Amino acid sequence: MSQDNILLRVEKLTKHFPITRGIVIQKQVGAVQAVDKVSFFVREGETLGLVGESGCGKSTTGRTILQLYRPTSGKVYFRDQDLTQLEGEDLRHMRRNMQIIFQDPYASLNPRMSVGDIVAEPLEVHRIGTRKEQRERVKELLNLVGLNPYFINRYPHEFSGGQRQRIGIARALALNPEFIVCDEPISALDVSIQAQVVNLLEELQEQFGLTYLFIAHDLSMVRHISNRIAVMYLGKVVELAERNELYANPLHPYTQALLSAVPVPDPVVERQRQRIILQGDVPSPVNPPAGCRFHPRCPLAQEICSQEEPEWREIAPDHWVACHLV
Amino acid sequence: MAVAELPQEQTLVRKQRSLWEESFIRLIRNKVAVVSLLFVFVLAFVAAFANYVAPYDYAEQDLMANNSVPKWMLVILPANAENYVRITDKYPLGADHLGRDILSRVIYGARVSLSFAVVASMVSLIIGTLYGTISGYVGGRADDVMMRIVDFLYAFPFLVVVILLQTYFKALGRASGMTGFGAKLLEINDSMGGMLFLFIAIGLINWIGMARIARGQVLSYKRKEFVEAAHAVGASNSRIIIKHLLPNIIGPLVVAETLAIPGYIFTEAFLSFIGLGVNPPTPSWGIMISEAVPALRSYPNQVLVPAVFLSLTTLAFNFLGDGLRDALDPRMKQ
Ligand SMILES: Nc1ncnc2c1ncn2[C@@H]1O[C@H](COP(=O)(O)OP(=O)(O)O)[C@@H](O)[C@H]1O
Ligand code: SF4
Ligand SMILES: [Mg+2]
């Protein structure tokens, strides 16, 4: 695969949340290293899946890319524009190109606003069209996400989780963005609704040429929708590859462990499936292990793993991994 | 994308209502709250139009009828009252020791109590909400400093300061022939029947509690995803505060403020009772009680009438506050 048409490039992106102590005179006593020197890119029109256990920094990565959190260090290039350098009006203007869909369909809609006002907010903020044109556009958007435009005056509490998620999608689409961070958009939904929402996202992607960063906490959820998949562990992206390549040829021990937990539909293969059970718990991101962050739990860990941080390398075309043994 | 792919029948038949409308419906279904609300409305109406409603002026004296009592009231007076009391039906609730109509004074007194409650609650609601919202929203060091100031003020004995100030202005101020700003304040205070300092004092004391509630509410909402969504589309901070935070946090603040009103009314009554509230002859329930206490044994009705109004008003605001709380947030019930 070529490296052209790169829409978004993340370079050594780092987000540490400071932990402070003291009342008036504050001292920083540590930091939650939620995301640490993460690098990857997203091609135009593709879906990059981002997978990892809860708390490994996926949401922080998504929000830092969108500059909802300002990064501690590192760069985020959208086309050739460095988002981390943008401030004020420039950043506000840039936000039209990138949006986010949230995990919790209940927390992501203001309960005091009607559906019409929620979906129209991006248009109002960017002063697009008259009040009447905005309402027309909202109806069009509701239609687009499979909701009856007749619902425009309703309030979020009158909708089911899946319907609310559609409202959130309509809001994200209002400004015609090119790039959308989907932060576990289906994790909180009933299994029966999940497929519908994924299908909707795929249809919209096709229709508008959208680019997604699709976050999920297990591999089975992203397999269907992603072109490429990045695996995250404790603030680091440890492996990134084209979807089929990742499933067929996982190189990082953590990816292998994750994959071993995914049930296989084929009963013969399923019976032979050997689960790799990882020892211990995920360490705290406040004091992550030195060297390879995975080394205390890695079944293959060597001496060097606790001393040196493995390099993030492209081991084969479009297959990236950070492990000393690969 | 077929519209029918989701089970939508449920939402199709239901009427569209905002959370405010649903809260309002819950409130008017609560009989105690409705009765309390009516009571407060009637009292407010009567207080506002006291000039028309009250049968007499609050300062009008009829010395021939001092300490008089209408016939029906004898039942609440001591058994031997008939030996010493003047009986006349001219004054529906009797007259006080200066021959002033008690009913009229209670009505004018409602004006003092309610305007005090309204001003004090508005002052503390506005200052507290602004302060708490900004502190919580800005966060970080500014929040720490602002909350430390609040902690300090909380420990400060404002009521004592108010009592000292009132004493000073009421006694020394006049005697020493004060000039300049102090005299001006005194003038304004006098023209308000002595309530200016009370307003300021109560506002100053109570915004602190409101600020804490507002800050707590803002903290619990500002990380909500709908607020992040607003940031993500580029909404300004003021828009986020006005459109997203305030509508969500105002309910608990209004409830807390309603429940604080009895406290304001009592504070006014208390200060007036000890002679540091409104200036006579302006009637307030506290002053009426205080003036009637010396003759409590002979004329308990003169204490009882303002006391009953005070209690009923207090109860009404308490019930109303409870009703509002249940209506605004059904989850908080039990
Ligand atoms: N605003 C924040 N302040 C401090 N710590 C945070 C904040 N947001 C997230 N974290 C911490 O960063 C880590 C990564 O969180 P998150 O990105 O939400 O993980 P994920 O989305 O993968 O579940 C967690 O340890 C979390 O506690
Ligand atoms: S670098 Fe070492 S510890 Fe880390 S994944 Fe590779 S083998 Fe395991
Ligand atoms: Mg998350």
Side-chain angles (χ1 to χ4, degrees):
Chain A
M1 255 202 198
S2 70
Q3 304 235 334
D4 54 356
N5 295 329
I6 287 175
L7 182 68
L8 182 92
R9 181 190 294 282
V10 175
E11 278 178 13
K12 298 216 156 109
L13 188 67
T14 300
K15 178 65 190 176
H16 292 179
F17 295 103
I19 304 168
T20 56
R21 193 153 299 153
I23 292 167
V24 178
I25 303 146
Q26 288 186 333
K27 266 200 324 226
Q28 184 173 335
V29 294
V32 182
Q33 304 189 11
V35 177
D36 199 75
K37 287 176 267 165
V38 160
S39 303
F40 59 85
F41 55 82
V42 189
R43 295 198 182 92
E44 215 172 318
E46 81 164 341
T47 299
L48 176 67
L50 182 60
V51 178
E53 286 163 279
S54 166
C56 71
K58 306 179 298 290
S59 299
T60 307
T61 304
R63 283 165 168 77
T64 312
I65 288 173
L66 297 183
Q67 306 300 306
L68 291 172
Y69 299 152
R70 299 318 290 256
T72 309
S73 64
K75 302 279 181 205
V76 179
Y77 294 100
F78 187 86
R79 299 206 182 279
D80 286 321
Q81 177 81 259
D82 181 3
L83 300 180
T84 63
Q85 299 301 316
L86 292 181
E87 302 270 349
E89 198 52 38
D90 295 335
L91 179 58
R92 232 171 64 83
H93 198 258
M94 203 62 193
R95 292 199 181 288
R96 295 176 63 157
N97 298 321
M98 22 180 222
Q99 281 301 310
I100 178 164
I101 299 166
F102 295 95
Q103 171 171 9
D104 183 348
Y106 290 85
S108 60
L109 306 178
N110 184 343
R112 302 278 169 192
M113 280 166 85
S114 70
V115 170
D117 289 341
I118 290 171
V119 179
E121 175 155 50
L123 305 172
E124 262 177 55
V125 166
H126 290 274
R127 304 217 169 81
I128 297 169
T130 63
R131 187 102 184 101
K132 220 178 128 214
E133 286 162 359
Q134 288 174 2
R135 262 187 102 70
E136 281 314 306
R137 172 85 174 126
V138 169
K139 287 185 185 164
E140 186 187 312
L141 286 162
L142 290 180
N143 222 348
L144 206 58
V145 299
L147 288 173
N148 194 329
Y150 169 79
F151 290 165
I152 190 162
N153 290 324
R154 303 228 164 161
Y155 287 83
H157 64 275
E158 300 173 274
F159 294 90
S160 68
Q163 290 172 315
R164 284 159 168 259
Q165 207 55 302
R166 286 167 192 259
I167 298 167
I169 294 171
R171 169 178 58 196
L173 289 178
L175 295 170
N176 282 321
E178 293 176 81
F179 174 65
I180 299 182
V181 173
C182 308
D183 189 358
E184 307 205 30
I186 57 170
S187 302
L189 302 179
D190 278 359
V191 179
S192 58
I193 311 285
Q194 287 182 347
Q196 292 177 3
V197 172
V198 168
N199 289 343
L200 173 65
L201 287 171
E202 282 182 320
E203 282 167 18
L204 293 168
Q205 178 168 44
E206 202 161 305
Q207 195 172 348
F208 300 108
L210 297 169
T211 304
Y212 291 147
L213 177 67
F214 193 99
I215 298 173
H217 61 251
D218 80 57
L219 274 166
S220 57
M221 278 194 194
V222 288
R223 173 158 208 177
H224 175 68
I225 195 171
S226 306
N227 301 97
R228 293 186 305 146
I229 295 174
V231 177
M232 224 177 152
Y233 180 81
L234 202 57
K236 292 275 189 190
V237 175
V238 295
E239 184 162 11
L240 192 163
E242 195 272 321
R243 169 193 42 187
N244 293 331
E245 164 77 5
L246 189 89
Y247 278 82
N249 186 20
L251 295 177
H252 196 280
Y254 181 64
T255 315
Q256 290 166 356
L258 277 189
L259 274 175
S260 79
V262 178
V264 186
D266 181 343
V268 180
V269 184
E270 172 70 14
R271 225 169 296 130
Q272 293 171 340
R273 183 162 68 96
Q274 296 235 317
R275 280 204 67 172
I276 305 171
I277 310 281
L278 293 175
Q279 301 298 311
D281 289 323
V282 183
S284 152
V286 177
N287 280 312
C292 173
R293 289 188 173 191
F294 187 53
H295 84 258
R297 305 176 72 200
C298 181
L300 308 178
Q302 308 287 309
E303 181 98 33
I304 184 173
C305 299
S306 57
Q307 290 152 7
E308 261 177 60
E309 208 178 311
E311 204 189 328
W312 177 238
R313 299 173 292 152
E314 190 170 14
I315 212 91
D318 231 17
H319 193 151
W320 297 69
V321 66
C323 173
H324 288 303
L325 297 196
V326 180
Chain B
M1 272 153 281
V3 170
E5 71 189 1
L6 283 168
Q8 286 168 344
E9 295 78 19
Q10 261 186 327
T11 52
L12 273 171
V13 290
R14 268 224 316 274
K15 272 204 58 174
Q16 60 212 34
R17 285 194 199 123
S18 74
L19 289 184
W20 297 122
E21 289 162 325
E22 298 208 334
S23 296
F24 181 72
I25 289 167
R26 273 196 298 272
L27 183 67
I28 59 172
R29 282 203 190 124
N30 179 339
K31 288 201 192 70
V32 180
V34 170
V35 169
S36 304
L37 193 62
L38 277 179
F39 178 84
V40 170
F41 269 139
V42 170
L43 196 68
F45 180 85
V46 164
F49 297 99
N51 323 30
Y52 305 101
V53 179
Y56 301 92
D57 187 69
Y58 62 83
E60 190 181 320
Q61 298 184 10
D62 178 358
L63 288 173
M64 300 306 292
N66 72 330
N67 294 329
S68 69
V69 155
K71 197 171 211 132
W72 69 268
M73 252 191 165
L74 280 177
V75 294
I76 60 169
L77 290 186
N80 65 341
E82 280 177 64
N83 302 334
Y84 61 82
V85 86
R86 278 182 234 232
I87 298 175
T88 162
D89 284 341
K90 187 176 172 197
Y91 302 110
L93 296 175
D96 68 2
H97 66 293
L98 294 174
R100 297 173 298 194
D101 178 32
I102 291 177
L103 175 64
S104 302
R105 284 180 67 73
V106 161
I107 289 173
Y108 278 99
R111 191 182 261 192
V112 171
S113 295
L114 286 188
S115 54
F116 187 73
V118 168
V119 174
S121 54
M122 282 301 154
V123 167
S124 79
L125 184 65
I126 291 169
I127 298 181
T129 305
L130 268 178
Y131 192 96
T133 303
I134 291 171
S135 180
Y137 188 75
V138 175
R141 190 157 300 181
D143 181 39
D144 278 320
V145 173
M146 285 175 86
M147 280 302 119
R148 237 32 70 190
I149 292 173
V150 156
D151 290 344
F152 174 74
L153 293 178
Y154 194 70
F156 204 72
F158 273 110
L159 202 57
V160 174
V161 174
V162 168
I163 289 174
L164 291 178
L165 269 180
Q166 281 285 72
T167 315
Y168 176 76
F169 277 108
K170 279 190 181 252
L172 289 175
R174 221 164 310 229
S176 62
M178 221 169 27
T179 53
F181 184 64
K184 193 82 203 156
L185 273 184
L186 200 60
E187 202 177 293
I188 299 173
N189 191 35
D190 278 345
S191 70
M192 290 172 66
M195 290 208 295
L196 177 67
F197 294 125
L198 285 184
F199 283 159
I200 296 174
I202 296 296
L204 279 182
I205 294 167
N206 286 285
W207 70 268
I208 293 170
M210 293 304 138
R212 284 183 166 163
I213 300 173
R215 172 177 176 270
Q217 288 284 313
V218 167
L219 288 185
S220 76
Y221 276 102
K222 79 166 182 177
R223 290 261 163 257
K224 285 250 156 118
E225 292 178 341
F226 69 80
V227 176
E228 284 202 300
H231 281 296
V233 300
S236 63
N237 289 329
S238 55
R239 183 186 170 97
I240 287 171
I241 290 178
I242 292 168
K243 286 243 169 186
H244 294 283
L245 295 178
L246 284 182
N248 281 292
I249 70 168
I250 200 71
L253 287 167
V254 169
V255 169
E257 200 58 77
T258 310
L259 290 172
I261 284 178
Y264 302 149
I265 293 179
F266 263 123
T267 306
E268 181 275 323
F270 163 70
L271 287 171
S272 296
F273 181 81
I274 62 171
L276 295 173
V278 299
N279 299 328
T282 309
S284 103
W285 295 339
I287 282 206
M288 293 177 71
I289 294 172
S290 139
E291 287 178 348
V293 159
L296 176 64
R297 291 248 222 120
S298 310
Y299 307 109
N301 62 312
Q302 295 183 15
V303 171
L304 218 52
V305 172
V308 163
F309 273 84
L310 190 60
S311 314
L312 285 180
T313 309
T314 300
L315 268 184
F317 277 110
N318 272 324
F319 284 137
L320 188 58
D322 282 344
L324 276 176
R325 182 175 48 208
D326 295 344
L328 285 169
D329 189 355
R331 280 164 303 170
M332 273 160 78
K333 207 173 182 178
Q334 271 130 40

